[in-house]
Amino acid sequence: MVFTKFPASVTGPYGDIALPSDAVDFEAGLVAVIGTPARNVPVADAWSHVAGLTAGQDLSEREVQLAGPPPQQYNIGKSFEGFAPIGPALVTPDELDDPDDLELGCQLSGVQMQKARTGEFVFSIPQLVAYLSSILPLLPGDLIFTGTPSGIGWTREPRRTLAPGDELVTHIAGIGAMRHTFTAA
């Protein structure tokens, strides 16, 4: 499944994010930043189009995202202001020991919620670049958020969504950690 986020959802690696409801979920992810135009790129050449990697959080207002009969509103539910934090650094793939296998995860108010390695992802960064560039041109500055490891709040029993006062720390080895506090809208 592929979805988009509107540019207004992008924010920095530190600060406060307002919650529009009590149905906001978190998804730690690796983000690839496109550096050179990519169109019909083979998997073997995909890294040459990536300027760097950073950490990301794919925040989602699940009730808006899943509302109504199909088509569901994935793009809208994931595009509230501040719902795509990225950072704290842009690291070129050659700076990492293995850009295809990085530890990532997040802690919510001090509790480990997600932890995995990007090598466990279903699709690698090169596969995502190849697939997406077969459909549309990828342009410098485009952000590709990967999928996320297990442990999101929406699928937990009991469900754990973000609440005012929560602190979410998202980390990727070799890139760094982001830190966000949530407030009521």
Side-chain angles (χ1 to χ4, degrees):
M1 176 178 290
V2 174
F3 56 84
T4 59
K5 284 181 171 270
F6 290 94
S9 67
V10 175
T11 192
Y14 313 108
D16 295 342
I17 297 174
L19 296 170
S21 74
D22 62 357
V24 179
D25 200 0
F26 51 89
E27 298 180 53
L30 179 65
V31 178
V33 180
I34 298 298
T36 60
R39 183 73 171 124
N40 296 314
V41 173
V43 171
D45 297 334
W47 277 118
S48 68
H49 294 274
V50 175
L53 300 172
T54 194
Q57 260 295 339
D58 172 20
L59 300 176
S60 303
E61 204 293 356
R62 297 293 190 200
E63 290 176 356
V64 170
Q65 175 187 328
L66 303 172
Q72 295 172 331
Q73 299 297 317
Y74 274 73
N75 302 343
I76 299 298
K78 292 175 171 288
S79 290
F80 283 82
E81 184 177 3
F83 272 30
I86 58 173
L90 182 65
V91 178
T92 60
D94 65 319
E95 293 178 85
L96 300 164
D97 289 338
D98 183 355
D100 290 307
D101 190 33
L102 304 171
E103 181 185 285
L104 81 156
C106 67
Q107 292 185 344
L108 181 57
S109 296
V111 177
Q112 186 80 49
M113 303 300 275
Q114 294 183 281
K115 185 175 182 182
R117 299 194 70 83
T118 60
E120 299 170 35
F121 283 177
V122 175
F123 301 106
S124 67
I125 293 291
Q127 290 171 314
L128 293 171
V129 170
Y131 174 70
L132 292 171
S133 73
S134 75
I135 296 169
L136 66 141
L138 297 176
L139 303 174
D142 283 349
L143 305 175
I144 300 174
F145 280 66
T146 62
T148 194
S150 65
I152 65 170
W154 199 252
T155 60
R156 290 177 174 268
E157 281 296 327
R159 189 173 281 168
R160 176 61 163 100
T161 55
L162 298 170
D166 278 341
E167 180 184 63
L168 184 64
V169 178
T170 306
H171 74 276
I172 298 183
I175 295 172
M178 299 189 298
R179 186 176 303 272
H180 295 92
T181 302
F182 295 89
T183 64

